[in-house]
Amino acid sequence: MPPSSLRVVYAFAREMHPKTTDVFIQYGTAGFRTKASLLEHVVYRMGLLAVLRSRVKNGRTIGIMITASHNLEPDNGVKLVDPDGEMLEQSWEEIATRLANVSDNDLESTTAEIIKQVNSDMALKASVYIGMDTRYTSPRLAAAAVHGVMALKGTPKEFGIVTTPMLHFCVKCRNDNTYGTPTEEGYYEKIVGAFKNISQKLPVVGNYNTTLYVDGANGVGGKKLNIIKKSLDGELDLVLFNLGGNGGKLNLNCGADFVKVSQKPPVGIEHVPFQRVASLDGDGDRLIYYYVDDKNEIHLLDGDQIAILLASYITELLKSCGAQELRLGLVQTAYANGASTRYITQELKVPVTCVKTGVKHLHHAALSYDIGIYFEANGHGTVVYSKEAKNVVRKIAEEGEAEQRKAAQLLLNFIDVTNETVGDAISDLFLVESVLRARGLDVRDWAALYRDVPCRQLKVTVQDRNVISTTDAERQCTSPEGLQTKINELVSKYPSGRSFVRASGTEDVVRVYSEADTQESADKLAAEVAQAVFDLAGGVGDRPELPE
C-alpha cells in the first residue's frame, strides 16, 4: 500500500475519532482499560493495528473485544485476540501503546513506520472479528473499531454483544475449523452440547442437586445463560439473578470480583443456607462459587478450589483410561492460597508452576504440560490439552477395554466442554457442575477438600505504579528500596504469614495480598503492608484502610 493511501487513516481520525486527550494510556495485562470517554481514538487505532496483525499472520482472523471486564460501568476497554484465540503477542503490546498515544498529525507517519517495522504485506486480505459487552459506551467504541479496520481496507465482522470468551472461541474456530463453528450458535452447540452428553451419562447421585443459582453481574454472561437455560433439558436447573433489569448496574455490588475481593455475597438475592451459587463477572470470563452458611457467613470456592476440583477429576479419568503417561500440571500465581498449593502438590501429587499475574503468563506456562490447568484465584482460568493428549484419549475411546473406553469418552466430552482459548465463566461453570455431578458432591463436600488460609487483599493509590518492581513471579519486591525488608519484618510477626505487593496492570494502584493463621491477623498484616507501601511508594489520597 503506497503511503498516499494512508491519508484515509488520518481523515477518519480527524473527522470522526480525534484524539482529544493527552492522558497516556498503556496496553496492560487486559489491553487498554480506562474511563470510556478517553477511549474512542484508542479503539479506532486498534482497528488499524488489528488489520496489520492479520496481514502479518497471512490474513488469519484477529479479534477485537470491547470490554472492561469486572470494572464498573463508566469504564471500558479494548483488547486484541490473536489467531489461536490467545492474548495479543507480548512484543506487540509496545506497538499498540505507541499507536494509541501519538497525535492525530503523527498517526499517518506512525502507521507507516509500524507497517515497515512488522513487515506487513498490505496487499494481503485482512479479517477482523469485533465483539462488545453490555456497557452503554460499547456500541460507539465498536463503531470506531470498524472504522479503523475499514481505513486500512480490512474486512470487519461484528458479533454484537458476546462474552469475551465467545469472541476468543469464534476467532479460534475461524482460523482452525477443527475446533468448532465460528458463531455464537457454534459455541452453544459444542460446549453446551458436550455438557449435556456428560450429564446423560452420569446419574444424579449423593449430595449433588441440579439446582444452581447464578449471579450474572448485570452483564453479558447472565444474558447468555438465559438463552442456554432453555436448552438444558432439565440436566441443570439454572436460577438466574442480576441480569441487568430493575436498575441493576454492571458489576456494582455483584459479580465475581465483588464477591472475591469483598468476601461478601452479591445483592439481588435472598440467600438460603448452603445454597450453591456461582458468580460471573461482567464480560463472562471469571467464575467464583460460594455459599452462605446457617450463621450467614460466606464461604468462597474460588479459582484455587475450581482448579483443584478439575485437576482431581481429570487425574481420576486419566487413571481409569490407563493414560497416566500424560503429564498433567497446574499453573498458579502468587495470589493462589498457600493451602491450595500444598494440597495440590502433597495430596494430588500434581506439579505446580508459579508465574506472574495475567492470563497470558498462565496460559503460556500451561502449554508446557500435556494437560495444563491454570486458574487465577479470582476465578479466571481454563484447561488446555495438547494434540498428543487428545490423540491418546481418542485412541483409547476407540480401542481400549470397555471401562477404559467409557472413561475416555467422558474425558473427550470434558475436553469439548472446555473453552481452551481463554478463561470462560460459562464453560468453567459446566466443567464444575460435571465434576460435582460425577462425584455426588454439594458445596460443603467440595469446600471440605481442604481449608484456605485466611487472606485479605487491599489496594493503595500511588502517584506512579511503575515505582514498584518485582521478581520471583511477583512474590518479591525489588523496588522501592527498603519495601521488601519492611514486608519481611511485618510477615515474621504472624503465624503462617505471607504477603506480597504488585503494581496493577491497568491503573496507578499497588495491590497488597496477605495471608495469616486467622482472619484478624490476615487483615492486620494487609493493613500494615499497605501502610508501608503508602509510605515508601508515594501513596496519594487517604491512607489505606481495611474494607468494613
Side-chain angles (χ1 to χ4, degrees):
M1 182 181 279
S4 61
S5 59
L6 292 180
R7 290 303 298 167
V8 71
V9 166
Y10 171 63
F12 259 120
R14 186 193 62 210
E15 299 300 328
M16 301 185 76
H17 311 294
K19 184 173 184 284
T20 56
T21 173
D22 290 330
V23 174
F24 181 81
I25 179 165
Q26 190 170 351
Y27 199 100
T29 47
F32 295 105
R33 193 178 294 177
T34 185
K35 293 283 172 267
S37 56
L38 302 175
L39 274 171
E40 194 171 328
H41 74 281
V42 175
V43 177
Y44 166 67
R45 292 159 186 224
M46 290 309 98
L48 303 174
L49 193 67
V51 171
L52 301 186
R53 183 73 180 153
S54 174
R55 288 181 173 136
V56 165
K57 290 292 181 180
N58 293 316
R60 296 177 84 204
T61 297
I62 297 295
I64 295 179
M65 186 67 201
I66 312 293
T67 182
S69 188
H70 57 278
N71 286 34
L72 294 176
E73 203 157 286
D75 292 345
N76 215 321
V78 58
K79 58 183 174 182
L80 269 59
V81 180
D82 259 354
D84 287 332
E86 296 178 12
M87 302 288 193
L88 177 67
E89 185 184 303
Q90 203 165 346
S91 64
W92 278 60
E93 292 178 10
E94 179 276 323
I95 297 170
T97 300
R98 180 161 34 118
L99 190 62
N101 287 286
V102 295
S103 69
D104 287 338
N105 288 336
D106 292 332
L107 182 58
E108 196 180 329
S109 59
T110 303
T111 304
E113 284 164 17
I114 293 169
I115 290 168
K116 198 171 172 187
Q117 178 188 341
V118 300
N119 199 20
S120 181
D121 181 352
M122 301 304 281
L124 286 176
K125 287 185 175 178
S127 164
V128 181
Y129 280 5
I130 299 165
M132 62 181 177
D133 70 13
T134 54
R135 290 162 207 270
Y136 61 90
T137 55
S138 291
R140 183 170 52 81
L141 295 177
V146 169
H147 290 156
V149 174
M150 288 165 53
L152 286 179
K153 296 186 166 56
T155 304
K157 179 172 180 180
E158 293 187 80
F159 281 74
I161 293 173
V162 286
T163 67
T164 295
M166 282 178 179
L167 187 78
H168 283 255
F169 174 90
C170 290
V171 169
K172 166 84 170 169
C173 293
R174 178 69 178 81
N175 295 307
D176 173 9
N177 60 16
T178 66
Y179 192 69
T181 308
T183 60
E184 189 175 322
E185 293 70 29
Y187 172 93
Y188 299 145
E189 196 179 300
K190 180 177 181 181
I191 287 173
V192 183
F195 169 71
K196 283 162 70 178
N197 283 340
I198 288 177
S199 300
Q200 283 152 14
K201 289 171 185 167
L202 299 171
V204 174
V205 294
N207 294 324
Y208 180 73
N209 85 58
T210 57
T211 301
L212 172 67
Y213 284 72
V214 184
D215 161 25
N218 295 314
V220 58
K223 291 185 186 304
K224 299 307 181 188
L225 279 176
N226 213 11
I227 296 168
I228 290 167
K229 179 183 174 177
K230 300 172 181 69
S231 66
L232 289 174
D233 303 335
E235 300 296 354
L236 186 62
D237 178 20
L238 297 176
V239 181
L240 306 173
F241 64 102
N242 291 335
L243 296 184
N246 304 321
K249 289 277 200 314
L250 182 69
N251 296 318
L252 183 64
N253 299 323
C254 62
D257 191 61
F258 170 80
V259 173
K260 172 67 179 164
V261 174
S262 71
Q263 298 184 27
K264 291 177 185 171
V267 298
I269 182 181
E270 283 294 318
H271 286 85
V272 172
F274 308 110
Q275 180 175 273
R276 187 167 85 254
V277 191
S279 258
L280 281 54
D281 71 336
D283 69 333
D285 64 2
R286 292 184 184 186
L287 175 72
I288 294 282
Y289 274 74
Y290 72 90
Y291 67 93
V292 173
D293 66 18
D294 47 8
K295 294 177 187 141
N296 214 29
E297 286 180 13
I298 188 170
H299 299 259
L300 295 189
L301 293 143
D302 63 10
D304 297 336
Q305 273 100 343
I306 293 170
I308 283 170
L309 191 73
L310 302 187
S312 63
Y313 187 61
I314 295 169
T315 302
E316 187 183 296
L317 286 179
L318 289 174
K319 196 174 174 185
S320 303
C321 288
Q324 293 102 310
E325 77 273 16
L326 293 174
R327 274 188 75 241
L328 178 131
L330 218 138
V331 185
Q332 295 184 317
T333 71
Y335 283 111
N337 195 279
S340 75
T341 312
R342 284 190 288 279
Y343 182 86
I344 295 157
T345 52
Q346 291 168 21
E347 300 295 322
L348 296 182
K349 306 280 191 265
V350 168
V352 173
T353 305
C354 186
V355 297
K356 282 166 65 174
T357 304
V359 174
K360 60 189 174 191
H361 303 300
L362 290 121
H363 192 92
H364 182 73
L367 295 172
S368 64
Y369 295 106
D370 291 318
I371 300 174
I373 301 169
Y374 71 83
F375 271 84
E376 294 185 292
N378 63 27
H380 197 163
T382 190
V383 188
V384 291
Y385 300 84
S386 67
K387 276 187 182 155
E388 162 77 0
K390 289 176 184 173
N391 290 338
V392 166
V393 176
R394 210 170 279 123
K395 194 170 181 201
I396 295 167
E398 290 164 5
E399 300 172 9
E401 293 168 14
E403 284 305 304
Q404 289 180 328
R405 280 205 311 273
K406 197 171 153 189
Q409 280 295 346
L410 261 178
L411 186 47
L412 287 175
N413 287 147
F414 204 74
I415 291 169
D416 277 344
V417 175
T418 312
N419 184 348
E420 294 180 68
T421 64
V422 74
D424 180 342
I426 291 174
S427 159
D428 291 339
L429 181 148
F430 287 129
L431 290 173
V432 167
E433 292 301 316
S434 298
V435 181
L436 296 178
R437 182 176 179 130
R439 295 211 161 141
L441 305 178
D442 70 4
V443 270
R444 281 177 283 183
D445 302 325
W446 178 13
L449 288 176
Y450 77 93
R451 191 173 294 283
D452 269 342
V453 180
C455 62
R456 173 63 70 191
Q457 289 184 52
L458 292 177
K459 61 182 183 181
V460 183
T461 304
V462 292
Q463 280 173 332
D464 178 11
R465 67 181 185 264
N466 295 313
V467 299
I468 297 283
S469 305
T470 59
T471 186
D472 185 25
E474 300 180 313
R475 290 176 287 193
Q476 293 287 311
C477 184
T478 52
S479 74
E481 197 177 334
L483 181 54
Q484 187 59 48
T485 307
K486 184 65 179 171
I487 293 169
N488 294 345
E489 181 191 309
L490 293 168
V491 165
S492 68
K493 299 191 309 192
Y494 296 92
S496 304
R498 180 169 83 92
S499 187
F500 69 91
V501 303
R502 57 175 283 273
S504 162
T506 53
E507 52 188 326
D508 278 325
V509 299
V510 176
R511 303 198 186 280
V512 174
Y513 177 89
S514 295
E515 290 178 357
D517 61 333
T518 67
Q519 190 61 55
E520 188 185 356
S521 293
D523 290 351
K524 218 168 154 197
L525 176 57
E528 290 170 356
V529 171
Q531 187 62 62
V533 170
F534 189 91
D535 293 340
L536 295 170
V540 295
D542 295 333
R543 288 182 172 275
E545 286 181 7
L546 275 171
E548 289 177 11

